[in-house]
Amino acid sequence: SPFQFEPKIFKEIERLGIPTVLFYCDNLQSHEMVREFAPYFTLNWVPELEAVELYKKQRCNYIHLPMAANPNLNKPLSREEKREVVFIGGKTPYRRWLLGSSIAQGLPLEIYGNYWRDGRTYYQLDQPP
């Protein structure tokens, strides 16, 4: 996370002959990492195809490699799925509001991803005003 480091340190690491790679998987939610941090890395791993243009505009070295799943661990279930609407993704304030609003409107939505079901108050769905 940006608040955890000074980006210039990665150029110092590179000067020691050690390449650095920035993996950031939420480029379309926040352009701050691309704008303020990506130029300091030897290579940027970009999982979202739509975000490649952001790196091109900054003239950063990048490689587009989508995230993948291990088929030995993430196997399709042998039961029939009967879900109407499913969201899978990390929890952000905007998603909390959007999905909370959708559920309040009666959408039969199942939500999966980091921090949705950990019981902390901050991570509850927001109710629309």
Side-chain angles (χ1 to χ4, degrees), residues 5-15 36-37 39-41:
F5 59 85
E6 183 66 37
K8 294 176 187 171
I9 191 72
F10 294 97
K11 282 296 181 193
E12 293 300 319
I13 293 170
E14 190 174 351
R15 280 192 247 295
E36 296 181 24
F37 295 89
Y40 292 94
F41 289 82

Side-chain angles (χ1 to χ4, degrees), residues 36-69:
E36 296 181 24
F37 295 89
Y40 292 94
F41 289 82
T42 310
L43 182 66
N44 294 275
W45 172 359
V46 184
E48 311 101 327
L49 182 58
E50 296 84 7
V52 166
E53 284 302 314
L54 300 171
Y55 288 86
K56 283 182 181 178
K57 285 180 186 176
Q58 287 290 112
R59 295 190 172 126
C60 295
N61 290 330
Y62 72 88
I63 184 168
H64 170 245
L65 291 173
M67 290 189 277

Side-chain angles (χ1 to χ4, degrees), residues 47-116:
E48 311 101 327
L49 182 58
E50 296 84 7
V52 166
E53 284 302 314
L54 300 171
Y55 288 86
K56 283 182 181 178
K57 285 180 186 176
Q58 287 290 112
R59 295 190 172 126
C60 295
N61 290 330
Y62 72 88
I63 184 168
H64 170 245
L65 291 173
M67 290 189 277
N70 182 340
N72 294 321
L73 299 174
N74 306 99
K75 303 175 199 177
L77 300 175
S78 59
R79 63 180 173 85
E80 180 182 331
E81 295 286 337
K82 294 184 181 183
R83 297 175 171 160
E84 292 186 38
V85 183
V86 175
F87 173 83
I88 301 172
K91 196 167 207 180
T92 65
Y94 175 73
R95 290 173 180 169
R96 290 172 49 214
W97 171 82
L98 179 66
L99 299 176
S101 299
S102 300
I103 290 170
Q105 295 292 321
L107 186 69
L109 177 62
E110 290 184 49
I111 302 172
Y112 299 92
N114 287 344
Y115 303 114
W116 288 103

Side-chain angles (χ1 to χ4, degrees), residues 17-31:
I18 304 168
T20 59
V21 177
L22 172 65
F23 171 74
Y24 186 59
C25 62
D26 222 355
N27 291 289
L28 302 175
Q29 287 284 326
S30 170
H31 299 190

